[in-house]
Every structure is written in structure tokens, then in C-alpha cells.
Amino acid sequence: MRKLMILAAVFGACFIYACGGGDNNAADSSQQSKDESSTSSGEANPDYDPERGTGKFTHVEVPDKLDPAMAAAGEKVYSVKCAACHKLTAEKLVGPGWQDVTKRHKPEWIMNFVTNPDEMIDKDPKAQAMLEICMVRMPNQNISDDEARNLYEFMRSNDGVK
């Protein structure tokens, strides 16, 4: 019984550290990113676009019709790298639910976020707002560019695109 209590205490401490330990760093990163996003003349950073976030994806061609093969490949990526934290409904699990995500964010923003979550959380106000709600930084899952595009297509299928 004593070993079980010690194990529970260690697990609880690890959980608290993992889930709550980043709040001060998030605030520091937020301030640092605000400082970095301004030039010496006080103008906004021209490389940052709130519609696409920050990252390499500046324009993503998305056809009107869904690509079923890409969506199926994206579903596989979701089941391996995303399903533990994200539900396909609006319900929050660890991270926000994915229902209607393609209606809330542009494809460039989503793909920049999944391939580069650290920089997006540090610099993007929408990503920072999600961090405040979820209280856990999204880990970098090392999503490739192709996986990101396939995930986006799977998100579209989840949002009812045919």
C-alpha cells in the first residue's frame, strides 16, 4: 500500500510539472515574441501574417473537392500522432476538438501550426489563446509537410467537405 501511495505521489508530481510548469515560460515567451515581432522603427514584423501564422506555408492550394486518398493518409497520421490529445468533435480533450477547425483557420495557419507548434505558440496570438484554454503546449510531433497537407485534408473531411 505504501509503494502505491509513493507511486501515486510521483505520478502526480510529474503530471503537475508537465501540465502546469510552462505558464511562466509561456508569459516570458509571449513577451519575447512581441519584442521580436517589432522592428527597431516600431513597425510590425512583415514576415508575420495573422491569417497564416508564422512558418513556411504562405499559400496552400485547396481544391473544392476533397481528395479521399490524402484524407485517408491524414487519418492515419491523426490516429498515430494526434488522437491522444484531440477529438474529432468540438469537445476539448487535452487539446481543442477538431470539429470545424477548417472553418476557423486558414489552411496555411493550420499547416504552419502542426509543423511548427513551438514558434506558433511563441508568436501567434490565436495559438497563445488556445494555450491559455488548454494549459498544455502542443508538443512538436515532427509532422512532415506532406503529413501536414494530408492532415488538413482529413480535417476537411471531418468538417463535411465532400
Side-chain angles (χ1 to χ4, degrees), residues 56-57 77-78 80-82 110-111 113-117 138-151:
K56 66 176 123 186
F57 296 101
V77 175
Y78 167 80
V80 172
K81 295 186 177 187
C82 310
I110 292 170
M111 292 175 63
F113 188 77
V114 300
T115 58
N116 193 17
M138 182 169 131
N140 188 333
Q141 295 288 337
N142 296 312
I143 304 286
S144 72
D145 294 355
D146 289 338
E147 287 175 325
R149 182 59 184 90
N150 292 338
L151 269 174

Side-chain angles (χ1 to χ4, degrees), residues 22-36:
D23 290 339
N24 290 337
N25 291 340
D28 293 343
S29 295
S30 174
Q31 182 59 44
Q32 180 182 3
S33 67
K34 287 177 186 174
D35 294 343
E36 290 173 357

Side-chain angles (χ1 to χ4, degrees), residues 113-150:
F113 188 77
V114 300
T115 58
N116 193 17
D118 295 323
E119 187 174 3
M120 284 287 286
I121 292 170
D122 289 345
K123 295 182 179 180
D124 186 81
K126 290 188 281 187
Q128 291 167 357
M130 284 191 288
L131 176 61
E132 288 181 22
I133 293 167
C134 297
M135 309 253 306
V136 177
R137 286 180 74 95
M138 182 169 131
N140 188 333
Q141 295 288 337
N142 296 312
I143 304 286
S144 72
D145 294 355
D146 289 338
E147 287 175 325
R149 182 59 184 90
N150 292 338

